[in-house]
Amino acid sequence: MSNYNFAYLDEQTKRMIRRAILKGLAIPGYQVPFASREMPMPYGWGTGGVQVSAAVLTPEDTFKVIDQGADDTTNAVSIRTFFERTAGVETTTATCDATVIQTRHRIPEEALQEGQILVYQVPIPEPLRFLEPRESETRKMHSLEEYGLMHVKLYEDISRHGHIATSYAYPVKVEGRYVMDPSPIPKFDNPKLGDMAAIQLFGAGREQRIYALPPYTQVVSLDFEDHPFEASKADHPCGMCGATDSYLDELIVDDAGGRMFVCSDTDYCEARQAAGHKGKDAA
Amino acid sequence: MQAAPLSGGFANTATQSAHAFRSVMEAMARPGTIQDIEGASPPAPLSPAAGAVLLTLCDTETPVYLAGEMDCDAVRSWLSFHTGAPFVGPAQCMFAVGIWDALGPLSIYPIGTSEYPDRSTTLIVDSAGLSASGAKLKGPGIKDYAALFLPELEAFQANNLLFPLGLDFIFTKGSELAALPRSTQISRLDSKAGAQVGAS
Amino acid sequence: MYVAVKGGERAIENAHAWLAEERRGDKGVAELGVAQIREQLALSVNRVMAEGSLYDPDLAALAIKQARGDLIEAIFLIRAYRTTLPRFGASEPVDTGAMACDRRISATFKDLPGGQVLGPTFDYTHRLLDFKLAADGEVAEAPSREAAAGDVPHVTDFLNREGLIEQAPHDDTPPPDLTREPLEMPADRALRLQALTRADEGFTLGLAYSTQRGYGRNHAFVGELRIGSVPVEMDIPELGFAVEVGEVTLTECETVNQFTGSKTEPPQFTRGYGLVFGQTERKAISMALVDRALRWEELGEDNVGAPAQDAEFVLYHADNIQATGFLEHIKLPHYVDFQSELELVRKLRREAGVDQVAEAAE
């Protein structure tokens, strides 16, 4: 890969992305259009996150990639290898050692610190898209702060099911202005979005949008007074480390349909196990 | 004697602009903090920090307005050679550079549209006094409060009221910079409180 | 006992090694050369160049070889390569009137200046498998004659002279660049045409076909279809004039569409336009039909709600690299979202009073 520029992208492309990131930070929650480039991995596989990471990385960074909270899922491995090769950056699986973390579908359990940057891969950045497929319409709705449709949808859930039936990609309102899609993180992670010490950047490659949350930004999950937002997870402790406060994956462990629950954040789980915590399924 | 237009750019564009961008990004993400920025040696009156910001963000796709004394042959030819940015008037610019007194009034710059609030000018206010004291800042990027020296209050307060439209500012001096996005609310610092307000 | 899934890296490497082996196939069979693909699978090469937005037959042939003949995968390789190339500048607009035509037909006039030239076409071949080709593909030289001198005029110019077709005034406004700026709605015609020329052939064909079947019907005739090479010139500022930097083969289709007039326009013929890299006839005609359908608004026609009239629908879904990536990404793990859905469905079922037994058994 030595024929390619540092972090793969050419400098002009990086400048374009960097300008979009700055505007995103200046207007938290607003989706900045950017001329996403074709990347050497398919659209939908993290091209937005990869372009944002490429635009922020310096050679001194330590980079971590997670998919579903795990460092060892195949696409996380693939993206990590890509930056090892093209940017020569050090990589890590330890959340606390990373300066830039690219993620798909999770926010690490461990609280992030100042000096860290969390880059999200976003498939559909428009929170109103499934209510209104037309970009020209949703853009108008954002400009007019016309979010009634979203509230109607959530309220229909309540009248049908007794509560809001959105379990991931749960919409949030940023600084009382823009309704934002937090990417398909489980709603369990939503409370971590606000007041975070780290910078959060969101990249949607195919949809050509970048948006951002500066540190300590006010982020509120949409809800109703009589139906307040509730962050939920499987009501079990982790089978490996015994954690009761982490988001869990459910695994089928035998032909009889036996199940166990394990932290989706592999680094968190391993660190707890190394510190001597043990769940009921641990060897 | 001015630096020749061919010199004073980034020697290693990819890594130097990556570092410079991180400084700008940290500054924009954490209003009131002061960041180091290095790598550029532009001709006077452009400060090294302002030069580095321009090298990092500008190219043929970004119209630049040179305000007041910035609009001189030395700066023009240096910027042309290193970025290729076209020079335009304030109404068309994506970036404007100058000292505070030369940049105003702020009403001459694009503040974005309600559908595209990002299509607004970023002003690089050069040679401003840079210190984490002065006006009191509150808003995204700031834990509790921050403080920053601002050349005046009213213009920035008025700009904040335009949110989500508005201008974004980068203050540069020597090899340091700070930033003030449109999202920051500004008030006069209470006497005494300044001591506790760190650049968080 | 649960063991966390590890070794993703080795699994990926092994999969890639296996893929390389499968690409090569039986080693007892001679390896396919890039030049063979370029010369003998030229229409595949053309499609890859057109939808990859990069005119380079050798690279396109290489991409086809690497992609095991999967053309969308080959297009993806070309796009990913293209995006890393530095831009030296923009060429002058090519003049298709000066095209050295290999093929030029009109469905609207039996004969016309420049003549009807069939060229190397599948039209009128009987689609019978040629079993001789399985053993021996050598062919005798085709008859030839001197090319006629002079430019070949556009058919629409003749109609224009009579004032029967809508005006298409010359316009030197630089078009937006889809590859450098994010797609924005509403998209003007230049931007739409840019998106359509690199759009998926199958998608464009399907849309065009739907207009013929009544979903936004616009009665298209192929006024002219021409295929041939045109010189590409670039203005060199240091020299102060344009120099020829190369030559590309293009397919151009101009449709003449019946039009009885609208609230804003008089009765006249209207135009649809297709221009595509290489010999890519099906694509160029499809493009012209879809272009015409998308023009309903500027011609003051009614929006009948047809898919081909809907610029947002067409432009946001026409790119096969975007489409295939997003479609195939559902292969990636979605444990986390699925888990939160599992919890939700269980909760809803519990509340609805079903499934208590299964949940209790856990």
Side-chain angles (χ1 to χ4, degrees), chain A residues 11-12 15 18-19 23 26-27 30 56 59-61 117 139 143 178 197 199 215, chain B residues 17 19 21-22 29-30 56-57 59 61-62 114-116 118 120 122 141 164 168 182:
Chain A
E11 288 305 305
Q12 192 171 3
R15 277 191 294 270
R18 286 167 177 164
R19 293 191 295 264
K23 288 296 174 194
I27 318 166
Y30 164 74
V56 302
E60 290 75 27
D61 274 308
I117 299 167
R139 189 158 284 278
S143 80
Y178 285 103
I199 297 174
Chain B
S17 58
H19 285 128
F21 173 68
R22 281 287 277 277
R30 302 175 196 279
T56 303
L57 298 176
D59 53 37
E61 294 174 0
T62 58
S114 64
E115 295 195 357
Y116 295 95
D118 56 303
S120 61
T122 300
D168 306 307
R182 65 192 79 178

mmCIF file of all heavy atoms in Angstrom, chain A residues 11-12 15 18-19 23 26-27 30 56 59-61 117 139 143 178 197 199 215, chain B residues 17 19 21-22 29-30 56-57 59 61-62 114-116 118 120 122 141 164 168 182:
data_model
loop_
_atom_site.group_PDB
_atom_site.id
_atom_site.type_symbol
_atom_site.label_atom_id
_atom_site.label_comp_id
_atom_site.label_asym_id
_atom_site.label_seq_id
_atom_site.Cartn_x
_atom_site.Cartn_y
_atom_site.Cartn_z
ATOM 1 N N GLU A 11 -4.805 14.428 0.032
ATOM 2 C CA GLU A 11 -4.915 15.584 0.935
ATOM 3 C C GLU A 11 -6.134 16.439 0.634
ATOM 4 O O GLU A 11 -6.758 16.986 1.540
ATOM 5 C CB GLU A 11 -3.639 16.435 0.857
ATOM 6 C CG GLU A 11 -2.439 15.770 1.528
ATOM 7 C CD GLU A 11 -2.704 15.389 2.982
ATOM 8 O OE1 GLU A 11 -3.093 16.272 3.762
ATOM 9 O OE2 GLU A 11 -2.554 14.209 3.331
ATOM 10 N N GLN A 12 -6.480 16.558 -0.624
ATOM 11 C CA GLN A 12 -7.636 17.399 -0.963
ATOM 12 C C GLN A 12 -8.921 16.807 -0.385
ATOM 13 O O GLN A 12 -9.769 17.519 0.140
ATOM 14 C CB GLN A 12 -7.748 17.550 -2.481
ATOM 15 C CG GLN A 12 -8.739 18.632 -2.854
ATOM 16 C CD GLN A 12 -8.732 18.961 -4.334
ATOM 17 O OE1 GLN A 12 -8.021 18.334 -5.116
ATOM 18 N NE2 GLN A 12 -9.519 19.935 -4.723
ATOM 19 N N ARG A 15 -8.967 17.471 3.314
ATOM 20 C CA ARG A 15 -9.346 18.862 3.625
ATOM 21 C C ARG A 15 -10.859 19.029 3.549
ATOM 22 O O ARG A 15 -11.470 19.673 4.407
ATOM 23 C CB ARG A 15 -8.660 19.836 2.665
ATOM 24 C CG ARG A 15 -7.240 20.195 3.049
ATOM 25 C CD ARG A 15 -6.718 21.361 2.229
ATOM 26 N NE ARG A 15 -6.591 21.010 0.825
ATOM 27 C CZ ARG A 15 -5.488 20.482 0.275
ATOM 28 N NH1 ARG A 15 -4.415 20.277 1.005
ATOM 29 N NH2 ARG A 15 -5.459 20.167 -0.991
ATOM 30 N N ARG A 18 -12.312 17.445 6.536
ATOM 31 C CA ARG A 18 -11.984 18.220 7.743
ATOM 32 C C ARG A 18 -12.859 19.469 7.849
ATOM 33 O O ARG A 18 -13.304 19.831 8.941
ATOM 34 C CB ARG A 18 -10.495 18.596 7.715
ATOM 35 C CG ARG A 18 -9.604 17.408 8.018
ATOM 36 C CD ARG A 18 -8.151 17.657 7.685
ATOM 37 N NE ARG A 18 -7.355 16.494 8.067
ATOM 38 C CZ ARG A 18 -6.122 16.279 7.646
ATOM 39 N NH1 ARG A 18 -5.534 17.134 6.817
ATOM 40 N NH2 ARG A 18 -5.474 15.203 8.052
ATOM 41 N N ARG A 19 -13.094 20.113 6.730
ATOM 42 C CA ARG A 19 -13.973 21.293 6.765
ATOM 43 C C ARG A 19 -15.373 20.889 7.222
ATOM 44 O O ARG A 19 -16.015 21.584 8.002
ATOM 45 C CB ARG A 19 -14.034 21.956 5.386
ATOM 46 C CG ARG A 19 -12.725 22.593 4.949
ATOM 47 C CD ARG A 19 -12.907 23.466 3.717
ATOM 48 N NE ARG A 19 -13.294 22.740 2.523
ATOM 49 C CZ ARG A 19 -12.444 22.320 1.579
ATOM 50 N NH1 ARG A 19 -11.137 22.557 1.696
ATOM 51 N NH2 ARG A 19 -12.888 21.684 0.522
ATOM 52 N N LYS A 23 -17.560 22.183 10.614
ATOM 53 C CA LYS A 23 -18.921 22.730 10.581
ATOM 54 C C LYS A 23 -19.847 21.860 11.411
ATOM 55 O O LYS A 23 -20.748 22.359 12.088
ATOM 56 C CB LYS A 23 -19.429 22.842 9.139
ATOM 57 C CG LYS A 23 -18.769 23.956 8.344
ATOM 58 C CD LYS A 23 -19.077 25.344 8.908
ATOM 59 C CE LYS A 23 -18.308 26.443 8.198
ATOM 60 N NZ LYS A 23 -18.339 27.723 8.936
ATOM 61 N N ALA A 26 -19.471 22.813 14.917
ATOM 62 C CA ALA A 26 -20.030 24.137 15.185
ATOM 63 C C ALA A 26 -21.560 24.097 15.248
ATOM 64 O O ALA A 26 -22.175 24.962 15.862
ATOM 65 C CB ALA A 26 -19.573 25.127 14.112
ATOM 66 N N ILE A 27 -22.164 23.097 14.583
ATOM 67 C CA ILE A 27 -23.636 22.986 14.568
ATOM 68 C C ILE A 27 -23.979 21.568 15.038
ATOM 69 O O ILE A 27 -24.312 20.703 14.233
ATOM 70 C CB ILE A 27 -24.198 23.234 13.147
ATOM 71 C CG1 ILE A 27 -23.485 24.416 12.476
ATOM 72 C CG2 ILE A 27 -25.706 23.464 13.198
ATOM 73 C CD1 ILE A 27 -23.736 24.514 10.981
ATOM 74 N N TYR A 30 -26.392 18.643 13.411
ATOM 75 C CA TYR A 30 -26.769 18.944 12.023
ATOM 76 C C TYR A 30 -25.917 18.105 11.064
ATOM 77 O O TYR A 30 -24.706 18.004 11.232
ATOM 78 C CB TYR A 30 -26.576 20.435 11.727
ATOM 79 C CG TYR A 30 -26.574 20.767 10.253
ATOM 80 C CD1 TYR A 30 -27.752 20.757 9.515
ATOM 81 C CD2 TYR A 30 -25.391 21.058 9.590
ATOM 82 C CE1 TYR A 30 -27.744 21.035 8.160
ATOM 83 C CE2 TYR A 30 -25.369 21.345 8.230
ATOM 84 C CZ TYR A 30 -26.551 21.325 7.516
ATOM 85 O OH TYR A 30 -26.538 21.590 6.177
ATOM 86 N N VAL A 56 -8.891 12.459 10.638
ATOM 87 C CA VAL A 56 -8.463 12.947 11.957
ATOM 88 C C VAL A 56 -7.175 12.288 12.453
ATOM 89 O O VAL A 56 -6.496 12.848 13.311
ATOM 90 C CB VAL A 56 -9.566 12.790 13.047
ATOM 91 C CG1 VAL A 56 -10.823 13.516 12.664
ATOM 92 C CG2 VAL A 56 -9.841 11.346 13.382
ATOM 93 N N PRO A 59 0.038 10.303 12.848
ATOM 94 C CA PRO A 59 0.858 9.094 13.020
ATOM 95 C C PRO A 59 1.038 8.698 14.491
ATOM 96 O O PRO A 59 1.323 7.537 14.775
ATOM 97 C CB PRO A 59 2.204 9.488 12.396
ATOM 98 C CG PRO A 59 1.899 10.627 11.492
ATOM 99 C CD PRO A 59 0.723 11.346 12.082
ATOM 100 N N GLU A 60 0.849 9.621 15.404
ATOM 101 C CA GLU A 60 1.082 9.320 16.813
ATOM 102 C C GLU A 60 -0.141 8.716 17.499
ATOM 103 O O GLU A 60 -0.080 8.370 18.680
ATOM 104 C CB GLU A 60 1.495 10.590 17.582
ATOM 105 C CG GLU A 60 2.876 11.096 17.236
ATOM 106 C CD GLU A 60 2.922 11.779 15.871
ATOM 107 O OE1 GLU A 60 1.875 12.309 15.434
ATOM 108 O OE2 GLU A 60 3.987 11.752 15.218
ATOM 109 N N ASP A 61 -1.256 8.623 16.793
ATOM 110 C CA ASP A 61 -2.470 8.122 17.431
ATOM 111 C C ASP A 61 -2.403 6.628 17.711
ATOM 112 O O ASP A 61 -1.654 5.891 17.075
ATOM 113 C CB ASP A 61 -3.686 8.412 16.538
ATOM 114 C CG ASP A 61 -4.248 9.803 16.786
ATOM 115 O OD1 ASP A 61 -4.506 10.113 17.957
ATOM 116 O OD2 ASP A 61 -4.386 10.576 15.816
ATOM 117 N N ILE A 117 -11.311 10.464 20.807
ATOM 118 C CA ILE A 117 -12.275 10.763 19.746
ATOM 119 C C ILE A 117 -13.008 9.475 19.403
ATOM 120 O O ILE A 117 -12.373 8.446 19.188
ATOM 121 C CB ILE A 117 -11.555 11.294 18.485
ATOM 122 C CG1 ILE A 117 -10.798 12.580 18.801
ATOM 123 C CG2 ILE A 117 -12.555 11.529 17.348
ATOM 124 C CD1 ILE A 117 -9.818 12.993 17.722
ATOM 125 N N ARG A 139 -34.988 17.594 4.833
ATOM 126 C CA ARG A 139 -34.131 18.774 5.019
ATOM 127 C C ARG A 139 -34.975 19.984 5.425
ATOM 128 O O ARG A 139 -34.603 20.769 6.288
ATOM 129 C CB ARG A 139 -33.335 19.038 3.732
ATOM 130 C CG ARG A 139 -32.275 20.095 3.858
ATOM 131 C CD ARG A 139 -31.203 19.957 2.791
ATOM 132 N NE ARG A 139 -30.295 18.870 3.095
ATOM 133 C CZ ARG A 139 -29.264 18.967 3.932
ATOM 134 N NH1 ARG A 139 -28.992 20.095 4.540
ATOM 135 N NH2 ARG A 139 -28.496 17.939 4.160
ATOM 136 N N SER A 143 -34.956 22.193 8.900
ATOM 137 C CA SER A 143 -34.761 23.645 8.858
ATOM 138 C C SER A 143 -35.871 24.354 9.634
ATOM 139 O O SER A 143 -35.643 25.380 10.255
ATOM 140 C CB SER A 143 -34.686 24.145 7.416
ATOM 141 O OG SER A 143 -35.971 24.255 6.865
ATOM 142 N N TYR A 178 -31.487 20.112 16.956
ATOM 143 C CA TYR A 178 -31.597 19.113 15.892
ATOM 144 C C TYR A 178 -31.922 17.728 16.441
ATOM 145 O O TYR A 178 -31.298 17.271 17.405
ATOM 146 C CB TYR A 178 -30.297 19.033 15.085
ATOM 147 C CG TYR A 178 -30.129 20.196 14.147
ATOM 148 C CD1 TYR A 178 -29.272 21.234 14.452
ATOM 149 C CD2 TYR A 178 -30.850 20.259 12.960
ATOM 150 C CE1 TYR A 178 -29.132 22.325 13.599
ATOM 151 C CE2 TYR A 178 -30.720 21.334 12.103
ATOM 152 C CZ TYR A 178 -29.867 22.362 12.414
ATOM 153 O OH TYR A 178 -29.735 23.428 11.566
ATOM 154 N N ALA A 197 -16.991 13.318 27.652
ATOM 155 C CA ALA A 197 -15.764 14.122 27.641
ATOM 156 C C ALA A 197 -15.064 14.068 26.283
ATOM 157 O O ALA A 197 -14.312 14.967 25.918
ATOM 158 C CB ALA A 197 -14.826 13.635 28.742
ATOM 159 N N ILE A 199 -14.739 13.741 22.017
ATOM 160 C CA ILE A 199 -15.394 14.273 20.817
ATOM 161 C C ILE A 199 -16.059 13.114 20.079
ATOM 162 O O ILE A 199 -15.445 12.067 19.909
ATOM 163 C CB ILE A 199 -14.355 14.942 19.888
ATOM 164 C CG1 ILE A 199 -13.710 16.138 20.589
ATOM 165 C CG2 ILE A 199 -14.974 15.336 18.558
ATOM 166 C CD1 ILE A 199 -12.571 16.761 19.798
ATOM 167 N N PRO A 215 -17.638 17.718 22.964
ATOM 168 C CA PRO A 215 -17.713 17.210 24.326
ATOM 169 C C PRO A 215 -18.788 17.964 25.112
ATOM 170 O O PRO A 215 -19.085 19.124 24.812
ATOM 171 C CB PRO A 215 -16.335 17.516 24.913
ATOM 172 C CG PRO A 215 -15.453 17.739 23.728
ATOM 173 C CD PRO A 215 -16.323 18.252 22.641
ATOM 174 N N SER B 17 -0.297 18.566 8.218
ATOM 175 C CA SER B 17 -1.675 19.049 8.180
ATOM 176 C C SER B 17 -2.550 18.200 9.101
ATOM 177 O O SER B 17 -3.523 18.698 9.658
ATOM 178 C CB SER B 17 -2.218 19.096 6.753
ATOM 179 O OG SER B 17 -2.158 17.829 6.172
ATOM 180 N N HIS B 19 -1.613 17.032 12.032
ATOM 181 C CA HIS B 19 -1.415 17.620 13.357
ATOM 182 C C HIS B 19 -2.121 18.967 13.478
ATOM 183 O O HIS B 19 -2.787 19.250 14.471
ATOM 184 C CB HIS B 19 0.077 17.803 13.650
ATOM 185 C CG HIS B 19 0.758 16.511 13.979
ATOM 186 N ND1 HIS B 19 1.904 16.101 13.347
ATOM 187 C CD2 HIS B 19 0.445 15.548 14.861
ATOM 188 C CE1 HIS B 19 2.264 14.918 13.839
ATOM 189 N NE2 HIS B 19 1.403 14.566 14.753
ATOM 190 N N PHE B 21 -4.641 20.051 11.821
ATOM 191 C CA PHE B 21 -6.099 19.890 11.870
ATOM 192 C C PHE B 21 -6.565 19.488 13.259
ATOM 193 O O PHE B 21 -7.578 19.972 13.753
ATOM 194 C CB PHE B 21 -6.594 18.874 10.844
ATOM 195 C CG PHE B 21 -8.064 18.593 11.012
ATOM 196 C CD1 PHE B 21 -8.997 19.581 10.727
ATOM 197 C CD2 PHE B 21 -8.521 17.383 11.509
ATOM 198 C CE1 PHE B 21 -10.351 19.361 10.917
ATOM 199 C CE2 PHE B 21 -9.874 17.153 11.713
ATOM 200 C CZ PHE B 21 -10.798 18.145 11.416
ATOM 201 N N ARG B 22 -5.812 18.599 13.888
ATOM 202 C CA ARG B 22 -6.233 18.169 15.231
ATOM 203 C C ARG B 22 -6.284 19.360 16.194
ATOM 204 O O ARG B 22 -7.157 19.447 17.051
ATOM 205 C CB ARG B 22 -5.316 17.080 15.752
ATOM 206 C CG ARG B 22 -5.654 15.735 15.167
ATOM 207 C CD ARG B 22 -6.943 15.163 15.737
ATOM 208 N NE ARG B 22 -6.698 14.516 16.989
ATOM 209 C CZ ARG B 22 -6.262 13.267 17.095
ATOM 210 N NH1 ARG B 22 -6.095 12.539 16.004
ATOM 211 N NH2 ARG B 22 -6.026 12.748 18.277
ATOM 212 N N ALA B 29 -13.927 22.130 18.964
ATOM 213 C CA ALA B 29 -14.741 21.241 19.790
ATOM 214 C C ALA B 29 -14.764 21.693 21.247
ATOM 215 O O ALA B 29 -15.659 21.328 21.989
ATOM 216 C CB ALA B 29 -14.215 19.807 19.691
ATOM 217 N N ARG B 30 -13.736 22.455 21.652
ATOM 218 C CA ARG B 30 -13.646 22.901 23.045
ATOM 219 C C ARG B 30 -13.392 24.403 23.065
ATOM 220 O O ARG B 30 -12.266 24.856 23.274
ATOM 221 C CB ARG B 30 -12.496 22.164 23.760
ATOM 222 C CG ARG B 30 -12.649 20.645 23.735
ATOM 223 C CD ARG B 30 -11.437 19.946 24.335
ATOM 224 N NE ARG B 30 -11.422 18.544 23.984
ATOM 225 C CZ ARG B 30 -12.142 17.605 24.609
ATOM 226 N NH1 ARG B 30 -12.914 17.917 25.616
ATOM 227 N NH2 ARG B 30 -12.091 16.346 24.207
ATOM 228 N N THR B 56 -4.080 24.054 6.084
ATOM 229 C CA THR B 56 -4.772 22.830 6.475
ATOM 230 C C THR B 56 -6.163 22.732 5.846
ATOM 231 O O THR B 56 -6.618 21.648 5.514
ATOM 232 C CB THR B 56 -4.923 22.784 8.012
ATOM 233 O OG1 THR B 56 -3.616 22.888 8.566
ATOM 234 C CG2 THR B 56 -5.554 21.485 8.477
ATOM 235 N N LEU B 57 -6.827 23.870 5.682
ATOM 236 C CA LEU B 57 -8.238 23.818 5.291
ATOM 237 C C LEU B 57 -8.530 24.318 3.879
ATOM 238 O O LEU B 57 -9.613 24.085 3.354
ATOM 239 C CB LEU B 57 -9.078 24.631 6.290
ATOM 240 C CG LEU B 57 -9.054 24.114 7.730
ATOM 241 C CD1 LEU B 57 -9.844 25.054 8.640
ATOM 242 C CD2 LEU B 57 -9.615 22.706 7.819
ATOM 243 N N ASP B 59 -8.023 25.086 -0.292
ATOM 244 C CA ASP B 59 -7.503 24.650 -1.581
ATOM 245 C C ASP B 59 -8.325 25.305 -2.677
ATOM 246 O O ASP B 59 -9.036 26.279 -2.413
ATOM 247 C CB ASP B 59 -7.478 23.118 -1.682
ATOM 248 C CG ASP B 59 -8.827 22.485 -1.351
ATOM 249 O OD1 ASP B 59 -9.859 23.080 -1.708
ATOM 250 O OD2 ASP B 59 -8.841 21.418 -0.721
ATOM 251 N N GLU B 61 -10.952 24.652 -3.925
ATOM 252 C CA GLU B 61 -12.405 24.605 -3.751
ATOM 253 C C GLU B 61 -12.905 25.579 -2.679
ATOM 254 O O GLU B 61 -14.095 25.603 -2.374
ATOM 255 C CB GLU B 61 -12.831 23.173 -3.395
ATOM 256 C CG GLU B 61 -12.570 22.202 -4.545
ATOM 257 C CD GLU B 61 -12.844 20.742 -4.193
ATOM 258 O OE1 GLU B 61 -13.250 20.450 -3.058
ATOM 259 O OE2 GLU B 61 -12.640 19.909 -5.082
ATOM 260 N N THR B 62 -12.000 26.357 -2.070
ATOM 261 C CA THR B 62 -12.425 27.241 -0.972
ATOM 262 C C THR B 62 -12.080 28.703 -1.248
ATOM 263 O O THR B 62 -10.947 29.129 -1.087
ATOM 264 C CB THR B 62 -11.710 26.849 0.344
ATOM 265 O OG1 THR B 62 -10.308 26.943 0.128
ATOM 266 C CG2 THR B 62 -12.066 25.461 0.782
ATOM 267 N N SER B 114 -31.206 28.207 6.110
ATOM 268 C CA SER B 114 -31.851 27.372 7.127
ATOM 269 C C SER B 114 -31.752 25.895 6.759
ATOM 270 O O SER B 114 -31.704 25.049 7.625
ATOM 271 C CB SER B 114 -33.307 27.794 7.314
ATOM 272 O OG SER B 114 -34.018 27.561 6.124
ATOM 273 N N GLU B 115 -31.680 25.591 5.451
ATOM 274 C CA GLU B 115 -31.534 24.186 5.069
ATOM 275 C C GLU B 115 -30.070 23.758 5.068
ATOM 276 O O GLU B 115 -29.759 22.583 5.247
ATOM 277 C CB GLU B 115 -32.161 23.937 3.700
ATOM 278 C CG GLU B 115 -33.663 24.157 3.752
ATOM 279 C CD GLU B 115 -34.413 23.597 2.563
ATOM 280 O OE1 GLU B 115 -33.768 23.077 1.636
ATOM 281 O OE2 GLU B 115 -35.650 23.693 2.575
ATOM 282 N N TYR B 116 -29.168 24.695 4.830
ATOM 283 C CA TYR B 116 -27.731 24.399 4.813
ATOM 284 C C TYR B 116 -26.973 25.405 5.682
ATOM 285 O O TYR B 116 -26.226 26.252 5.165
ATOM 286 C CB TYR B 116 -27.179 24.434 3.385
ATOM 287 C CG TYR B 116 -27.745 23.374 2.486
ATOM 288 C CD1 TYR B 116 -28.819 23.632 1.651
ATOM 289 C CD2 TYR B 116 -27.205 22.086 2.486
ATOM 290 C CE1 TYR B 116 -29.358 22.648 0.834
ATOM 291 C CE2 TYR B 116 -27.723 21.096 1.667
ATOM 292 C CZ TYR B 116 -28.806 21.389 0.845
ATOM 293 O OH TYR B 116 -29.319 20.398 0.035
ATOM 294 N N ASP B 118 -24.427 25.071 7.254
ATOM 295 C CA ASP B 118 -22.959 24.900 7.173
ATOM 296 C C ASP B 118 -22.345 25.786 6.090
ATOM 297 O O ASP B 118 -21.136 25.950 6.039
ATOM 298 C CB ASP B 118 -22.623 23.438 6.895
ATOM 299 C CG ASP B 118 -23.297 22.908 5.633
ATOM 300 O OD1 ASP B 118 -24.543 22.979 5.559
ATOM 301 O OD2 ASP B 118 -22.587 22.444 4.712
ATOM 302 N N SER B 120 -21.538 28.680 5.546
ATOM 303 C CA SER B 120 -21.263 29.963 6.157
ATOM 304 C C SER B 120 -19.753 30.161 6.245
ATOM 305 O O SER B 120 -18.988 29.206 6.140
ATOM 306 C CB SER B 120 -21.869 29.982 7.558
ATOM 307 O OG SER B 120 -21.266 28.967 8.333
ATOM 308 N N THR B 122 -16.075 30.883 7.748
ATOM 309 C CA THR B 122 -15.261 30.749 8.949
ATOM 310 C C THR B 122 -14.267 31.907 8.929
ATOM 311 O O THR B 122 -13.538 32.080 7.951
ATOM 312 C CB THR B 122 -14.519 29.408 8.958
ATOM 313 O OG1 THR B 122 -15.476 28.356 8.918
ATOM 314 C CG2 THR B 122 -13.656 29.272 10.215
ATOM 315 N N GLY B 141 -19.300 21.673 23.973
ATOM 316 C CA GLY B 141 -17.844 21.646 24.017
ATOM 317 C C GLY B 141 -17.278 22.164 25.317
ATOM 318 O O GLY B 141 -16.070 22.087 25.549
ATOM 319 N N PRO B 164 -29.231 28.044 14.388
ATOM 320 C CA PRO B 164 -28.081 27.313 13.840
ATOM 321 C C PRO B 164 -27.347 28.002 12.692
ATOM 322 O O PRO B 164 -26.376 27.446 12.193
ATOM 323 C CB PRO B 164 -28.698 26.000 13.376
ATOM 324 C CG PRO B 164 -30.109 26.343 13.046
ATOM 325 C CD PRO B 164 -30.504 27.414 14.006
ATOM 326 N N ASP B 168 -18.406 31.119 12.236
ATOM 327 C CA ASP B 168 -17.530 30.458 13.188
ATOM 328 C C ASP B 168 -16.177 31.164 13.141
ATOM 329 O O ASP B 168 -15.749 31.622 12.081
ATOM 330 C CB ASP B 168 -17.396 28.979 12.837
ATOM 331 C CG ASP B 168 -18.758 28.315 12.730
ATOM 332 O OD1 ASP B 168 -19.539 28.435 13.684
ATOM 333 O OD2 ASP B 168 -19.049 27.712 11.674
ATOM 334 N N ARG B 182 -20.440 29.172 16.453
ATOM 335 C CA ARG B 182 -21.683 29.944 16.605
ATOM 336 C C ARG B 182 -22.522 29.443 17.779
ATOM 337 O O ARG B 182 -23.389 30.169 18.258
ATOM 338 C CB ARG B 182 -22.475 29.838 15.307
ATOM 339 C CG ARG B 182 -22.925 28.409 15.041
ATOM 340 C CD ARG B 182 -23.451 28.214 13.663
ATOM 341 N NE ARG B 182 -22.367 28.089 12.692
ATOM 342 C CZ ARG B 182 -22.568 27.865 11.415
ATOM 343 N NH1 ARG B 182 -23.781 27.774 10.942
ATOM 344 N NH2 ARG B 182 -21.555 27.737 10.588
#
